[in-house]
Amino acid sequence: MSAELFVATLGQAPGAITMALDRLQLRIPTLDTVALLHTSPTLSAISEQFELLQRELAHERPAYRVLLREITDMSGQPLIDIVDEPTSRAYFRGVWSVLREFKQQGYTIHLLIAGGRKAMSIYAMLAATFALQSGDRVWTIHSPDAVIKAQAFWLRQVPIELRDNIKLISLPIFPLRLAPVSGDMRFEEIEQYMERRQHLGEDFLNQLSPKEQLVAAAIRQNPYAENKLLGQHLFIDARTVETHLQNIYQKMRFYLDRGDQLPKHQMRQVLIDLISGRL
């Protein structure tokens, strides 16, 4: 059984991290390792929260192992904030790299998406889809406004009547298995994958054989033509067209999310939409 690791991105609300840790501890009593992902602890706006959170953990959880991971820019320089595309890319890459590091070490990860800026939470969630596996979990925490304003850190500091309103919620995650976590997958490959997903039709056509590509191209040009007419256009018989289509449909079932659940009578229309750029 792998060790459990609580991972949180530090922002302006460090109390969200400790509240979530309190709640998660009730579910996983053996949890004793925390990883904090943060931007520059001296140059960014989280310097005070960074020191405060460390003091709270040292005081309330002295037996815990606390791992600090600073997210830097693409050149390794301190990252202060997400302000443009390069800093967004750097933050995404940094979170992905840290999560991948911990997965390579054999941890089961519990990633908290809370307590930071919305943009950082979005990129952390995106990184999770590329780095985490089916046994890992992503969490967020909901707290009443009164708790947030009071800036409480631990459940015992919250009035009893409010504690039940502090809820740790599991978020759905759909890991993408582009390559084994222990393999040599590079961040550039992830970016290439994301670029391809923005052009699904072209990418799918590249998955087909040359003959299948010809059939698909004929359908795109003549979406309502019967197989016999398509075959005449391609100088093949209707049965061969149908064989190629069935092979294309099978590949499409694997290519599309939940493609295996597509009804047979919708396959042709979905193919037309896919290669025409409507998906």
Side-chain angles (χ1 to χ4, degrees), residues 9-50:
T9 55
L10 176 60
Q12 294 290 339
I17 295 174
T18 48
M19 289 287 183
L21 185 56
D22 260 355
R23 283 294 185 208
L24 193 58
Q25 185 83 61
L26 296 175
R27 303 187 187 205
I28 310 173
T30 58
L31 182 66
D32 62 0
T33 306
V34 175
L36 300 177
L37 280 58
H38 58 89
T39 53
S40 173
T42 56
L43 301 176
S44 68
I46 58 127
S47 57
E48 182 178 344
Q49 288 79 5
F50 181 74

Side-chain angles (χ1 to χ4, degrees), residues 176-191:
L176 298 178
R177 293 274 54 86
L178 301 184
V181 174
S182 60
D184 296 324
M185 183 172 59
R186 296 175 294 107
F187 184 72
E188 289 73 19
E189 293 175 291
I190 291 178
E191 291 185 309

Side-chain angles (χ1 to χ4, degrees), residues 50-213:
F50 181 74
E51 294 181 2
L52 185 58
L53 180 56
Q54 288 189 87
R55 287 201 301 269
E56 285 290 333
L57 288 172
H59 183 263
E60 295 288 334
R61 298 289 190 274
Y64 268 44
R65 183 185 179 204
V66 179
L67 308 174
L68 302 177
R69 294 293 186 275
E70 181 179 350
I71 307 300
T72 63
D73 67 16
M74 302 301 286
S75 65
Q77 297 300 309
L79 181 64
I80 299 175
D81 201 354
I82 295 178
V83 295
D84 52 22
E85 187 172 339
T87 51
S88 299
R89 180 172 180 259
Y91 190 81
F92 173 33
R93 178 174 185 166
V95 176
W96 169 79
S97 298
V98 172
L99 293 178
R100 183 169 179 260
E101 169 197 342
F102 289 138
K103 288 308 300 177
Q104 290 175 330
Q105 294 175 11
Y107 282 108
T108 294
I109 292 179
H110 297 268
L111 175 64
L112 179 69
I113 304 294
R117 294 185 59 180
K118 291 181 179 179
M120 292 182 175
S121 296
I122 291 170
Y123 284 110
M125 191 67 177
L126 181 60
T129 65
F130 288 95
L132 301 189
Q133 298 174 308
S134 58
D136 301 311
R137 303 289 294 275
V138 176
W139 305 90
T140 190
I141 189 165
H142 287 184
S143 299
D145 290 341
V147 174
I148 297 174
K149 291 179 181 178
Q151 298 183 338
F153 271 85
W154 307 96
L155 285 175
R156 63 174 178 77
Q157 299 171 345
V158 177
I160 295 177
E161 64 271 17
L162 294 178
R163 291 179 190 175
D164 288 342
N165 295 324
I166 301 174
K167 301 183 183 299
L168 187 65
I169 300 171
S170 178
L171 298 177
I173 181 173
F174 304 97
L176 298 178
R177 293 274 54 86
L178 301 184
V181 174
S182 60
D184 296 324
M185 183 172 59
R186 296 175 294 107
F187 184 72
E188 289 73 19
E189 293 175 291
I190 291 178
E191 291 185 309
Q192 291 168 9
Y193 171 83
M194 293 173 65
E195 175 66 24
R196 293 198 308 269
R197 294 293 288 184
Q198 294 180 20
H199 304 87
L200 284 179
E202 295 177 16
D203 185 54
F204 179 69
L205 288 173
N206 290 332
Q207 317 296 318
L208 306 180
S209 70
K211 291 182 179 179
E212 292 166 354
Q213 289 178 358

Side-chain angles (χ1 to χ4, degrees), residues 210-271:
K211 291 182 179 179
E212 292 166 354
Q213 289 178 358
L214 290 175
V215 172
I219 287 182
R220 180 164 55 185
Q221 295 171 6
N222 307 277
Y224 303 108
E226 296 181 352
N227 288 353
K228 182 178 181 180
L229 183 59
L230 291 174
Q232 291 174 356
H233 178 74
L234 296 171
F235 304 102
I236 56 178
D237 59 45
R239 184 176 299 178
T240 302
V241 172
E242 181 62 25
T243 298
H244 288 315
L245 280 175
Q246 291 304 317
N247 291 336
I248 292 172
Y249 295 157
Q250 185 64 17
K251 292 179 179 179
M252 194 167 65
R253 287 188 180 95
F254 286 99
Y255 183 80
L256 293 177
D257 296 333
R258 302 186 69 187
D260 59 326
Q261 299 183 29
L262 284 173
K264 290 183 179 179
H265 69 278
Q266 293 183 4
M267 296 299 289
R268 190 182 186 104
Q269 185 59 52
V270 172
L271 173 61

